[in-house]
Amino acid sequence: MVVITLGVLTPLLFLLGLAASSGLDHWEHLMRYVLPDATLNTVVLLLGVGAMVMTIGAGCAWLVTAFDFPGRKLFSWALLLPLAMPTYIVAFAWLDLLHPIGPIQEFIRSVLGYDSPRQFRLPDLRSMTGAILLLGLVLYPYVYLTMRAMFMSQPAHLLEAARTLGLSSTGTFFRVALPMARPALVVGTSLALLETLNDIGASEFLGVNTLTVTVYTTWVTRSDLPAAAQIACSMLTVIILLLALEYYGRKNQRYSTGRQMRGILPSRLTGWRAILATCVTALPVVLGFLAPALFLGWESIKRISDSMTISSSLLQSLQNSLLLAVGVTVVVTLVSIVVAWYARASAISGSSQEWRRTLMKVASLGYAVPGTVLAIGLLTPGMALDNFLAELLDFRGLPLLSTGILLVICCSIRFMAISIGAIDAGLTRIPPSMEQASRLLGESELRTFFRVHLPLLRPALVTSALLVFADAMKELPTTLLLRPVNFETLATSLYAEAARGTYEEGAIAALLIVLAGTLPVILLARSQLTSSQSKQSS
């Protein structure tokens, strides 16, 4: 357990050491010419995306919880679908859809009677506004998830009392429901902002020079690793602020409603209000998932029908993506079982072993750190270990980097929190009495785990494994920086095609990534729907 925790902290410690060892000249140059612009862009992007995800996520969560309108049951789970769409794929799709000679602008010009883009064209999507809109449309489900769960757990009598005292539906939302759900709003927004900070593809496609993009260009384009490490250290300041924001939200996320409290019963909407509610909840799904997915499907069909074959490079990228995702999933699942079980044993033994729970939380910090920061921090110790192994094994080259092991380790550190959280939640649902009964019957601790806990953990293991698999399939920043030579995944192939402007070549890769992420999201939405129905029936 201690070794695993140190493995998570090692990249951050080496990152700080690398940044401190490069001298003051780098810092002076960065502070004068690089960091001001990149920091300003990052802050503006975070503020814009934060406002957008809070508006869409909280608004849609309240609509599907408090009101009944046509399509409500469908949208209650469909609003999660943008989680399956990586940010860089949404940017990839909408850049082509809104191109001056793309389908949308061509249609608008035909309706208005114009013949040329010189006569009429929409504002360029490559801007800060475009980045905020597209990232917000993809990341709002983080807020929707937390707010929906909080709204469903709120006692109905408080809202009814507010209505009795003369508050309208809107006033009840802003003065009663929203303040009670504020911790969930903070937690969901902080998660969305951490994903925004991790983004590299969408920001670069849309021409927004954030800190993450600056780290990548400084390392890869300028071959200046110390400067990249110093910029990454600047990002850690933003990460600490976001983690403090999330901790503040979680610290106060406790409300004693009691099981006997009745939940919110949806009010029936009719007329134009029902139509408006349907349109409002449908719009994020259409713009954030349906339109890009249909576009990618259409472009993929056209590409396959034109050539009647799929290129060997794409098949190789698919194979590499599957190998990477499977490797990361296996490593993360095994390590997460050890970490969660270790913390479970401490919880059963008493509060004197509470430090084990603290170690589990530290082991989950990787998800809060952007992939670019982890990659830079892991490169120095990884290269040192690589050189040692190459000399020991008489290996030509770098065994860890050239075989992709270093990439798997970095992705595993980043996604471990997903699996640890799911497995720990599954273990908490298993009463200690079952384990105690097994031990009294003569079973060892290991056999008790395999015969009692593991079968009961199967749903949590499957769900967490699917989520980790989907995240590893679409991971871009870490893969760009640590992939072996001539090792292309679907994500890096799409990134390269978009950089060259050959969108039709990348549509198939993008569609495959979306399909890989859709199944876990559907399972997550199904579990949310089941939970909602059980709470309403009780």
Side-chain angles (χ1 to χ4, degrees), residues 60-146:
C60 291
W62 178 250
L63 281 175
V64 299
T65 303
F67 301 101
D68 188 13
F69 52 88
R72 171 180 171 268
K73 291 184 178 180
L74 171 65
F75 294 124
S76 64
W77 65 266
L79 282 163
L80 294 174
L81 287 176
L83 281 177
M85 190 74 65
T87 53
Y88 58 88
I89 289 183
V90 172
F92 169 84
W94 277 108
L95 278 174
D96 209 12
L97 281 169
L98 292 176
H99 194 274
I101 57 173
I104 293 180
Q105 295 209 46
E106 288 283 0
F107 174 76
I108 295 175
R109 281 195 293 269
S110 66
V111 171
L112 298 178
Y114 295 114
D115 300 325
S116 167
R118 296 180 179 178
Q119 297 174 305
F120 174 84
R121 61 185 301 173
L122 295 174
D124 193 358
L125 190 62
R126 292 180 175 89
S127 62
M128 178 65 73
T129 303
I132 290 173
L133 290 174
L134 292 185
L135 289 174
L137 286 171
V138 177
L139 300 177
Y140 77 85
Y142 288 101
V143 178
Y144 173 79
L145 268 172
T146 56

Coordinates of all heavy atoms in Angstrom, one line a residue, residues 60-146:
C60 N -30.7 21.3 -16.1 CA -31.3 20.0 -16.6 C -31.6 19.1 -15.5 O -32.6 18.3 -15.5 CB -30.4 19.4 -17.6 SG -30.2 20.3 -19.2
A61 N -30.7 19.0 -14.5 CA -31.0 18.1 -13.3 C -32.3 18.5 -12.6 O -33.1 17.6 -12.2 CB -29.8 18.1 -12.4
W62 N -32.5 19.8 -12.5 CA -33.7 20.2 -11.8 C -35.0 20.0 -12.6 O -36.0 19.6 -12.1 CB -33.6 21.7 -11.5 CG -34.9 22.3 -10.8 CD1 -35.7 23.2 -11.4 CD2 -35.4 22.0 -9.5 NE1 -36.8 23.5 -10.5 CE2 -36.5 22.8 -9.3 CE3 -34.9 21.2 -8.5 CZ2 -37.3 22.7 -8.1 CZ3 -35.6 21.2 -7.3 CH2 -36.8 21.9 -7.1
L63 N -34.9 20.2 -13.9 CA -36.0 19.9 -14.8 C -36.5 18.5 -14.8 O -37.7 18.2 -14.7 CB -35.7 20.3 -16.3 CG -35.7 21.8 -16.6 CD1 -35.2 22.1 -18.0 CD2 -37.1 22.4 -16.4
V64 N -35.5 17.5 -14.9 CA -35.9 16.1 -15.0 C -36.3 15.6 -13.6 O -36.9 14.5 -13.5 CB -34.8 15.3 -15.6 CG1 -34.5 15.7 -17.0 CG2 -33.6 15.3 -14.8
T65 N -35.9 16.3 -12.6 CA -36.3 15.8 -11.2 C -37.6 16.4 -10.7 O -38.4 15.7 -10.1 CB -35.2 16.2 -10.2 OG1 -33.9 15.7 -10.6 CG2 -35.5 15.7 -8.8
A66 N -37.8 17.7 -11.0 CA -39.0 18.4 -10.4 C -40.2 18.5 -11.3 O -41.3 18.8 -10.9 CB -38.6 19.8 -10.0
F67 N -40.0 18.2 -12.6 CA -41.1 18.3 -13.6 C -41.3 17.1 -14.4 O -40.3 16.3 -14.7 CB -40.9 19.6 -14.5 CG -40.8 20.8 -13.7 CD1 -39.5 21.4 -13.5 CD2 -41.9 21.5 -13.2 CE1 -39.4 22.6 -12.7 CE2 -41.7 22.7 -12.5 CZ -40.5 23.2 -12.3
D68 N -42.5 16.9 -14.9 CA -42.8 15.8 -15.8 C -43.3 16.4 -17.1 O -44.2 17.2 -17.2 CB -44.0 14.9 -15.2 CG -44.2 13.7 -16.1 OD1 -43.3 13.4 -16.9 OD2 -45.2 13.0 -15.9
F69 N -42.6 16.0 -18.2 CA -42.8 16.6 -19.5 C -42.5 15.5 -20.6 O -41.8 14.5 -20.3 CB -42.0 17.9 -19.8 CG -40.6 17.7 -19.5 CD1 -39.7 17.3 -20.5 CD2 -40.0 18.0 -18.2 CE1 -38.3 17.1 -20.2 CE2 -38.7 17.8 -18.0 CZ -37.8 17.4 -19.0
P70 N -42.9 15.7 -21.8 CA -42.6 14.7 -22.9 C -41.1 14.5 -23.0 O -40.4 15.4 -23.2 CB -43.2 15.3 -24.1 CG -44.3 16.2 -23.6 CD -43.8 16.8 -22.3
G71 N -40.7 13.2 -23.0 CA -39.3 12.9 -23.1 C -38.5 12.9 -21.9 O -37.3 12.7 -21.9
R72 N -39.2 13.1 -20.7 CA -38.4 13.3 -19.5 C -37.6 12.0 -19.1 O -36.4 12.1 -18.8 CB -39.4 13.6 -18.3 CG -38.8 13.5 -16.9 CD -39.8 13.9 -15.9 NE -39.2 13.6 -14.5 CZ -39.4 12.4 -13.9 NH1 -40.0 11.4 -14.5 NH2 -38.8 12.3 -12.7
K73 N -38.2 10.8 -19.2 CA -37.6 9.6 -18.9 C -36.4 9.4 -19.8 O -35.3 8.9 -19.4 CB -38.5 8.4 -18.9 CG -39.6 8.5 -17.8 CD -40.4 7.2 -17.9 CE -41.4 7.2 -16.7 NZ -42.3 6.0 -16.7
L74 N -36.5 9.7 -21.1 CA -35.5 9.5 -22.1 C -34.3 10.4 -21.7 O -33.1 10.0 -21.7 CB -36.0 9.8 -23.5 CG -34.9 9.9 -24.6 CD1 -34.3 8.5 -24.8 CD2 -35.6 10.3 -25.9
F75 N -34.6 11.7 -21.5 CA -33.5 12.7 -21.3 C -32.9 12.5 -19.9 O -31.7 13.0 -19.7 CB -34.0 14.1 -21.5 CG -34.4 14.4 -22.9 CD1 -35.7 14.8 -23.1 CD2 -33.6 14.2 -23.9 CE1 -36.1 15.1 -24.4 CE2 -33.9 14.5 -25.2 CZ -35.2 14.9 -25.5
S76 N -33.5 11.9 -19.0 CA -33.0 11.7 -17.6 C -31.7 10.9 -17.7 O -30.8 11.1 -16.9 CB -34.0 11.0 -16.7 OG -34.3 9.7 -17.1
W77 N -31.6 10.0 -18.7 CA -30.3 9.2 -18.9 C -29.5 9.7 -20.1 O -28.3 9.6 -20.1 CB -30.6 7.7 -18.9 CG -31.4 7.3 -20.1 CD1 -32.7 7.1 -20.2 CD2 -30.9 7.0 -21.4 NE1 -33.1 6.7 -21.5 CE2 -32.0 6.6 -22.2 CE3 -29.6 7.0 -22.0 CZ2 -31.9 6.2 -23.6 CZ3 -29.5 6.6 -23.3 CH2 -30.6 6.2 -24.1
A78 N -30.3 10.2 -21.1 CA -29.6 10.6 -22.3 C -28.7 11.8 -22.1 O -27.7 12.1 -22.8 CB -30.6 11.0 -23.4
L79 N -29.0 12.6 -21.0 CA -28.1 13.8 -20.7 C -26.7 13.4 -20.3 O -25.8 14.2 -20.2 CB -28.8 14.6 -19.6 CG -30.0 15.5 -20.0 CD1 -30.8 15.9 -18.9 CD2 -29.4 16.7 -20.8
L80 N -26.5 12.1 -20.0 CA -25.2 11.6 -19.6 C -24.4 11.2 -20.9 O -23.1 11.0 -20.7 CB -25.3 10.4 -18.7 CG -25.8 10.6 -17.3 CD1 -26.0 9.3 -16.6 CD2 -24.9 11.6 -16.5
L81 N -25.0 11.1 -22.0 CA -24.3 10.6 -23.2 C -23.0 11.4 -23.6 O -22.1 10.9 -24.1 CB -25.2 10.5 -24.4 CG -26.2 9.3 -24.3 CD1 -27.2 9.4 -25.5 CD2 -25.5 8.0 -24.2
P82 N -23.0 12.8 -23.5 CA -21.8 13.5 -23.8 C -20.6 13.0 -23.1 O -19.4 13.3 -23.5 CB -22.2 15.0 -23.5 CG -23.6 15.0 -23.7 CD -24.1 13.7 -23.2
L83 N -20.7 12.3 -22.0 CA -19.5 11.8 -21.3 C -18.8 10.8 -22.2 O -17.6 10.6 -22.0 CB -19.9 11.0 -20.0 CG -20.2 11.9 -18.8 CD1 -20.7 11.0 -17.6 CD2 -19.0 12.7 -18.4
A84 N -19.5 10.2 -23.2 CA -18.8 9.2 -24.1 C -18.1 9.9 -25.2 O -17.3 9.3 -25.9 CB -19.9 8.3 -24.7
M85 N -18.2 11.2 -25.3 CA -17.6 12.0 -26.4 C -16.4 12.8 -25.9 O -16.6 13.8 -25.2 CB -18.7 13.0 -27.0 CG -18.3 13.7 -28.2 SD -18.3 12.6 -29.7 CE -20.0 12.2 -29.8
P86 N -15.2 12.4 -26.2 CA -14.0 13.1 -25.7 C -14.1 14.6 -26.3 O -14.6 14.8 -27.4 CB -12.8 12.4 -26.3 CG -13.4 11.0 -26.5 CD -14.8 11.1 -26.9
T87 N -13.5 15.5 -25.6 CA -13.5 16.9 -26.0 C -12.9 17.1 -27.3 O -13.4 17.9 -28.1 CB -12.8 17.8 -24.9 OG1 -11.5 17.3 -24.7 CG2 -13.6 17.7 -23.6
Y88 N -11.8 16.5 -27.6 CA -11.1 16.7 -28.8 C -11.9 16.2 -30.0 O -11.8 16.7 -31.1 CB -9.7 16.1 -28.8 CG -9.6 14.6 -28.6 CD1 -9.7 13.7 -29.6 CD2 -9.4 14.2 -27.3 CE1 -9.6 12.4 -29.3 CE2 -9.3 12.8 -27.0 CZ -9.4 11.9 -28.1 OH -9.3 10.6 -27.8
I89 N -12.7 15.1 -29.8 CA -13.6 14.6 -30.9 C -14.7 15.6 -31.2 O -15.1 15.8 -32.3 CB -14.1 13.2 -30.6 CG1 -12.9 12.2 -30.6 CG2 -15.2 12.8 -31.5 CD1 -13.3 10.8 -30.4
V90 N -15.3 16.2 -30.1 CA -16.3 17.2 -30.4 C -15.8 18.4 -31.1 O -16.4 18.8 -32.1 CB -16.9 17.6 -29.0 CG1 -17.9 18.8 -29.2 CG2 -17.7 16.5 -28.4
A91 N -14.6 18.8 -30.8 CA -14.0 19.9 -31.5 C -13.7 19.5 -33.0 O -13.9 20.3 -33.9 CB -12.7 20.3 -30.8
F92 N -13.2 18.3 -33.1 CA -12.9 17.7 -34.5 C -14.2 17.7 -35.3 O -14.2 18.1 -36.5 CB -12.4 16.3 -34.3 CG -12.3 15.5 -35.6 CD1 -11.2 15.6 -36.4 CD2 -13.2 14.6 -35.9 CE1 -11.1 14.9 -37.6 CE2 -13.2 13.9 -37.1 CZ -12.1 14.0 -37.9
A93 N -15.3 17.3 -34.8 CA -16.5 17.1 -35.5 C -17.1 18.5 -35.9 O -17.5 18.8 -37.0 CB -17.5 16.3 -34.8
W94 N -17.2 19.4 -34.8 CA -17.9 20.7 -35.1 C -17.0 21.6 -35.9 O -17.6 22.5 -36.6 CB -18.2 21.3 -33.7 CG -19.5 20.8 -33.1 CD1 -19.6 20.0 -32.0 CD2 -20.8 21.1 -33.6 NE1 -20.9 19.8 -31.8 CE2 -21.7 20.4 -32.7 CE3 -21.3 21.9 -34.6 CZ2 -23.1 20.5 -32.9 CZ3 -22.7 21.9 -34.8 CH2 -23.5 21.2 -34.0
L95 N -15.7 21.5 -35.9 CA -14.9 22.3 -36.8 C -15.2 21.9 -38.3 O -15.3 22.8 -39.1 CB -13.4 22.0 -36.6 CG -12.8 22.8 -35.4 CD1 -11.4 22.3 -35.2 CD2 -12.8 24.3 -35.7
D96 N -15.5 20.7 -38.6 CA -15.9 20.3 -39.9 C -17.3 20.7 -40.2 O -17.7 21.1 -41.3 CB -15.7 18.8 -40.1 CG -15.3 18.5 -41.6 OD1 -15.1 19.4 -42.4 OD2 -15.4 17.3 -42.0
L97 N -18.2 20.5 -39.2 CA -19.6 20.8 -39.5 C -19.8 22.3 -39.7 O -20.7 22.7 -40.5 CB -20.4 20.4 -38.2 CG -20.8 18.9 -38.1 CD1 -21.4 18.6 -36.7 CD2 -21.8 18.5 -39.2
L98 N -19.1 23.1 -39.0 CA -19.2 24.6 -39.1 C -18.2 25.2 -40.0 O -18.0 26.4 -40.0 CB -19.2 25.2 -37.7 CG -20.3 24.9 -36.8 CD1 -20.1 25.5 -35.4 CD2 -21.7 25.4 -37.4
H99 N -17.5 24.4 -40.8 CA -16.5 25.0 -41.8 C -17.3 25.9 -42.8 O -18.4 25.7 -43.1 CB -15.8 23.8 -42.5 CG -14.6 24.2 -43.2 ND1 -14.6 24.7 -44.5 CD2 -13.3 24.2 -42.9 CE1 -13.4 25.0 -44.9 NE2 -12.6 24.7 -44.0
P100 N -16.6 26.9 -43.3 CA -17.3 27.8 -44.2 C -17.9 27.1 -45.4 O -18.9 27.6 -46.0 CB -16.1 28.8 -44.6 CG -15.2 28.8 -43.5 CD -15.3 27.5 -42.9
I101 N -17.3 26.0 -45.8 CA -17.9 25.2 -46.9 C -18.5 23.9 -46.4 O -18.7 22.9 -47.1 CB -16.9 25.0 -48.0 CG1 -15.7 24.2 -47.5 CG2 -16.6 26.3 -48.7 CD1 -14.7 23.8 -48.7
G102 N -18.8 23.9 -45.1 CA -19.3 22.7 -44.4 C -20.8 22.6 -44.6 O -21.5 23.6 -45.1
P103 N -21.5 21.6 -44.1 CA -22.9 21.4 -44.4 C -23.8 22.4 -43.8 O -24.8 22.8 -44.4 CB -23.2 20.0 -43.8 CG -22.1 19.7 -42.8 CD -20.9 20.4 -43.4
I104 N -23.5 22.9 -42.6 CA -24.4 23.8 -41.9 C -24.4 25.2 -42.6 O -25.4 25.8 -42.9 CB -24.0 23.9 -40.4 CG1 -24.3 22.6 -39.7 CG2 -24.8 25.1 -39.7 CD1 -23.9 22.6 -38.2
Q105 N -23.2 25.7 -42.8 CA -23.1 27.0 -43.5 C -23.6 27.0 -44.9 O -24.2 27.9 -45.4 CB -21.7 27.6 -43.4 CG -21.2 27.8 -42.0 CD -20.2 29.0 -41.9 OE1 -20.4 30.0 -42.5 NE2 -19.1 28.7 -41.2
E106 N -23.4 25.9 -45.6 CA -23.9 25.7 -46.9 C -25.4 25.8 -46.9 O -26.1 26.4 -47.8 CB -23.4 24.4 -47.6 CG -22.0 24.4 -47.9 CD -21.7 25.2 -49.2 OE1 -22.6 25.7 -49.8 OE2 -20.5 25.2 -49.6
F107 N -26.0 25.1 -45.9 CA -27.5 25.1 -45.8 C -28.0 26.5 -45.5 O -29.0 26.9 -46.1 CB -27.9 24.1 -44.7 CG -29.4 24.1 -44.4 CD1 -30.3 23.5 -45.3 CD2 -29.9 24.7 -43.3 CE1 -31.7 23.5 -45.0 CE2 -31.2 24.8 -43.0 CZ -32.1 24.2 -43.9
I108 N -27.4 27.2 -44.6 CA -27.8 28.5 -44.2 C -27.8 29.5 -45.5 O -28.7 30.3 -45.7 CB -27.0 29.1 -43.1 CG1 -27.3 28.3 -41.8 CG2 -27.3 30.6 -42.8 CD1 -26.4 28.6 -40.6
R109 N -26.6 29.4 -46.2 CA -26.5 30.2 -47.4 C -27.5 29.9 -48.4 O -28.1 30.8 -49.1 CB -25.1 30.1 -48.0 CG -24.0 30.9 -47.2 CD -22.7 31.0 -48.0 NE -22.1 29.7 -48.1 CZ -21.2 29.2 -47.3 NH1 -20.8 29.9 -46.2 NH2 -20.7 28.0 -47.5
S110 N -27.9 28.6 -48.6 CA -28.9 28.3 -49.6 C -30.3 28.8 -49.2 O -31.0 29.2 -50.0 CB -29.0 26.7 -49.7 OG -29.4 26.1 -48.5
V111 N -30.6 28.8 -47.9 CA -31.8 29.4 -47.4 C -31.9 30.9 -47.6 O -32.9 31.4 -48.0 CB -32.1 29.0 -45.9 CG1 -33.3 29.7 -45.4 CG2 -32.2 27.5 -45.8
L112 N -30.7 31.5 -47.3 CA -30.7 33.0 -47.5 C -30.5 33.5 -48.9 O -30.5 34.7 -49.1 CB -29.6 33.6 -46.5 CG -29.8 33.3 -45.0 CD1 -28.6 33.8 -44.2 CD2 -31.1 33.9 -44.5
G113 N -30.2 32.6 -49.8 CA -30.0 33.0 -51.2 C -28.6 33.4 -51.5 O -28.3 34.1 -52.5
Y114 N -27.6 33.1 -50.7 CA -26.2 33.4 -51.0 C -25.5 32.3 -51.7 O -25.9 31.1 -51.6 CB -25.4 33.8 -49.7 CG -26.0 35.0 -49.0 CD1 -26.6 34.9 -47.7 CD2 -25.9 36.2 -49.5 CE1 -27.1 36.0 -47.0 CE2 -26.3 37.4 -48.9 CZ -26.9 37.2 -47.6 OH -27.4 38.3 -47.0
D115 N -24.4 32.6 -52.5 CA -23.7 31.6 -53.2 C -22.3 31.3 -52.7 O -21.8 30.3 -53.0 CB -23.6 32.1 -54.7 CG -25.0 32.3 -55.4 OD1 -25.9 31.5 -55.0 OD2 -25.1 33.2 -56.2
S116 N -21.7 32.2 -52.0 CA -20.3 32.1 -51.6 C -20.1 32.5 -50.2 O -20.9 33.3 -49.6 CB -19.5 33.1 -52.5 OG -18.2 33.2 -52.0
P117 N -19.1 31.8 -49.6 CA -18.7 32.2 -48.2 C -18.3 33.7 -48.0 O -18.4 34.2 -46.9 CB -17.6 31.3 -47.9 CG -17.7 30.1 -48.8 CD -18.3 30.7 -50.0
R118 N -17.9 34.3 -49.1 CA -17.6 35.7 -49.0 C -18.9 36.6 -48.7 O -18.8 37.7 -48.2 CB -17.0 36.2 -50.3 CG -15.6 35.5 -50.6 CD -15.0 36.0 -51.9 NE -13.8 35.4 -52.2 CZ -13.0 35.6 -53.3 NH1 -13.5 36.5 -54.2 NH2 -11.9 35.0 -53.5
Q119 N -20.0 36.1 -49.2 CA -21.3 36.8 -48.9 C -21.8 36.6 -47.5 O -22.4 37.5 -46.9 CB -22.3 36.4 -50.0 CG -21.9 36.7 -51.4 CD -22.9 36.2 -52.4 OE1 -23.2 35.0 -52.4 NE2 -23.4 37.1 -53.2
F120 N -21.6 35.4 -47.0 CA -22.1 35.1 -45.6 C -21.3 34.0 -45.0 O -21.1 33.0 -45.7 CB -23.6 34.7 -45.7 CG -24.1 34.3 -44.3 CD1 -24.6 35.2 -43.4 CD2 -24.1 32.9 -44.0 CE1 -25.0 34.8 -42.2 CE2 -24.6 32.5 -42.7 CZ -25.1 33.5 -41.8
R121 N -20.9 34.2 -43.8 CA -20.2 33.1 -43.1 C -20.4 33.4 -41.6 O -20.4 34.5 -41.1 CB -18.7 33.0 -43.4 CG -17.9 34.3 -43.1 CD -16.5 34.1 -43.6 NE -15.8 33.0 -43.0 CZ -14.6 32.6 -43.4 NH1 -14.0 33.2 -44.4 NH2 -14.0 31.5 -42.8
L122 N -20.5 32.3 -40.8 CA -20.6 32.4 -39.4 C -19.3 32.7 -38.8 O -18.2 32.5 -39.4 CB -21.1 31.1 -38.8 CG -22.5 30.6 -39.2 CD1 -22.9 29.2 -38.7 CD2 -23.6 31.6 -38.7
P123 N -19.3 33.3 -37.5 CA -18.0 33.5 -36.8 C -17.2 32.3 -36.7 O -17.7 31.2 -36.6 CB -18.5 34.1 -35.5 CG -19.8 34.6 -35.7 CD -20.5 33.7 -36.7
D124 N -15.9 32.4 -36.7 CA -15.0 31.3 -36.7 C -15.1 30.6 -35.3 O -15.1 31.2 -34.3 CB -13.5 31.8 -36.9 CG -12.6 30.6 -37.2 OD1 -13.0 29.4 -37.1 OD2 -11.4 30.8 -37.4
L125 N -15.2 29.3 -35.4 CA -15.3 28.5 -34.1 C -14.0 28.4 -33.4 O -13.9 28.2 -32.2 CB -15.8 27.1 -34.4 CG -16.2 26.2 -33.3 CD1 -17.3 26.7 -32.5 CD2 -16.5 24.8 -33.7
R126 N -12.9 28.7 -34.1 CA -11.6 28.7 -33.5 C -11.4 29.9 -32.7 O -10.8 30.9 -33.1 CB -10.5 28.5 -34.5 CG -10.4 27.2 -35.2 CD -9.3 27.2 -36.2 NE -9.2 25.9 -36.9 CZ -9.8 25.5 -38.0 NH1 -10.7 26.3 -38.5 NH2 -9.6 24.3 -38.5
S127 N -11.8 29.9 -31.4 CA -11.8 31.1 -30.6 C -12.0 30.6 -29.1 O -12.4 29.4 -28.9 CB -12.8 32.1 -30.9 OG -14.1 31.6 -30.8
M128 N -11.8 31.5 -28.2 CA -12.1 31.2 -26.8 C -13.5 30.9 -26.6 O -13.9 30.0 -25.8 CB -11.6 32.4 -25.9 CG -11.9 32.2 -24.4 SD -11.0 30.9 -23.7 CE -9.4 31.6 -23.6
T129 N -14.4 31.7 -27.2 CA -15.8 31.4 -27.1 C -16.2 30.0 -27.6 O -17.0 29.3 -27.0 CB -16.6 32.5 -27.9 OG1 -16.3 33.8 -27.4 CG2 -18.1 32.2 -27.7
G130 N -15.6 29.6 -28.8 CA -15.9 28.3 -29.3 C -15.4 27.2 -28.3 O -16.1 26.2 -28.1
A131 N -14.2 27.4 -27.7 CA -13.7 26.4 -26.8 C -14.6 26.3 -25.6 O -14.9 25.2 -25.1 CB -12.3 26.8 -26.4
I132 N -15.1 27.4 -25.0 CA -15.9 27.4 -23.9 C -17.2 26.6 -24.2 O -17.7 25.8 -23.4 CB -16.2 28.8 -23.4 CG1 -14.9 29.4 -22.8 CG2 -17.3 28.8 -22.3 CD1 -15.1 30.9 -22.4
L133 N -17.8 26.9 -25.3 CA -19.1 26.3 -25.7 C -18.9 24.8 -25.9 O -19.7 24.0 -25.3 CB -19.6 26.9 -27.0 CG -20.1 28.4 -26.9 CD1 -20.5 28.9 -28.3 CD2 -21.3 28.5 -26.0
L134 N -17.9 24.4 -26.6 CA -17.8 22.9 -26.9 C -17.4 22.2 -25.6 O -17.9 21.1 -25.4 CB -16.7 22.7 -28.0 CG -17.1 23.2 -29.4 CD1 -16.1 22.9 -30.4 CD2 -18.5 22.7 -29.8
L135 N -16.4 22.7 -24.9 CA -16.1 22.0 -23.6 C -17.2 21.9 -22.6 O -17.4 20.9 -22.0 CB -14.9 22.7 -23.0 CG -13.5 22.5 -23.7 CD1 -12.4 23.4 -23.1 CD2 -13.1 21.1 -23.8
G136 N -18.0 23.0 -22.6 CA -19.1 23.0 -21.7 C -20.2 22.0 -22.1 O -20.8 21.3 -21.2
L137 N -20.4 21.8 -23.4 CA -21.4 20.8 -23.9 C -21.0 19.4 -23.6 O -21.8 18.5 -23.6 CB -21.6 21.0 -25.4 CG -22.4 22.3 -25.8 CD1 -22.3 22.4 -27.3 CD2 -23.8 22.1 -25.3
V138 N -19.7 19.1 -23.4 CA -19.2 17.8 -23.2 C -19.1 17.5 -21.7 O -19.3 16.4 -21.2 CB -17.8 17.6 -23.9 CG1 -17.3 16.2 -23.5 CG2 -17.9 17.7 -25.4
L139 N -18.7 18.5 -20.9 CA -18.4 18.3 -19.5 C -19.5 18.6 -18.5 O -19.3 18.3 -17.3 CB -17.2 19.1 -19.1 CG -15.9 18.9 -19.9 CD1 -14.8 19.8 -19.5 CD2 -15.4 17.4 -19.7
Y140 N -20.6 19.1 -19.0 CA -21.7 19.4 -18.0 C -22.3 18.1 -17.3 O -22.8 18.3 -16.2 CB -22.9 20.1 -18.7 CG -23.7 19.2 -19.6 CD1 -24.8 18.5 -19.0 CD2 -23.5 19.0 -20.9 CE1 -25.6 17.6 -19.7 CE2 -24.3 18.2 -21.7 CZ -25.3 17.5 -21.1 OH -26.1 16.6 -21.8
P141 N -22.2 16.9 -17.9 CA -22.7 15.7 -17.1 C -22.1 15.5 -15.8 O -22.7 14.9 -14.9 CB -22.4 14.5 -18.1 CG -22.4 15.1 -19.4 CD -21.8 16.5 -19.2
Y142 N -20.8 16.0 -15.5 CA -20.3 15.9 -14.2 C -21.1 16.6 -13.2 O -21.4 16.2 -12.0 CB -18.9 16.5 -14.2 CG -17.8 15.6 -14.9 CD1 -17.4 15.9 -16.1 CD2 -17.3 14.5 -14.2 CE1 -16.5 15.1 -16.8 CE2 -16.4 13.7 -14.9 CZ -16.0 14.0 -16.2 OH -15.1 13.2 -16.8
V143 N -21.6 17.8 -13.5 CA -22.5 18.6 -12.7 C -23.9 17.9 -12.6 O -24.5 17.8 -11.6 CB -22.6 20.0 -13.1 CG1 -23.6 20.8 -12.2 CG2 -21.2 20.7 -13.1
Y144 N -24.4 17.5 -13.8 CA -25.7 16.9 -13.9 C -25.8 15.7 -12.9 O -26.8 15.5 -12.2 CB -26.0 16.5 -15.3 CG -27.3 15.7 -15.5 CD1 -28.5 16.3 -15.4 CD2 -27.2 14.3 -15.6 CE1 -29.7 15.5 -15.6 CE2 -28.4 13.5 -15.7 CZ -29.6 14.2 -15.7 OH -30.7 13.4 -15.8
L145 N -24.7 14.8 -12.9 CA -24.7 13.6 -12.1 C -24.9 14.0 -10.6 O -25.7 13.4 -9.9 CB -23.4 12.8 -12.3 CG -23.5 11.7 -13.4 CD1 -22.1 11.2 -13.6 CD2 -24.4 10.6 -13.0
T146 N -24.0 14.8 -10.1 CA -24.0 15.2 -8.7 C -25.3 15.9 -8.3 O -25.9 15.7 -7.3 CB -22.8 16.0 -8.4 OG1 -22.7 17.2 -9.2 CG2 -21.5 15.2 -8.6

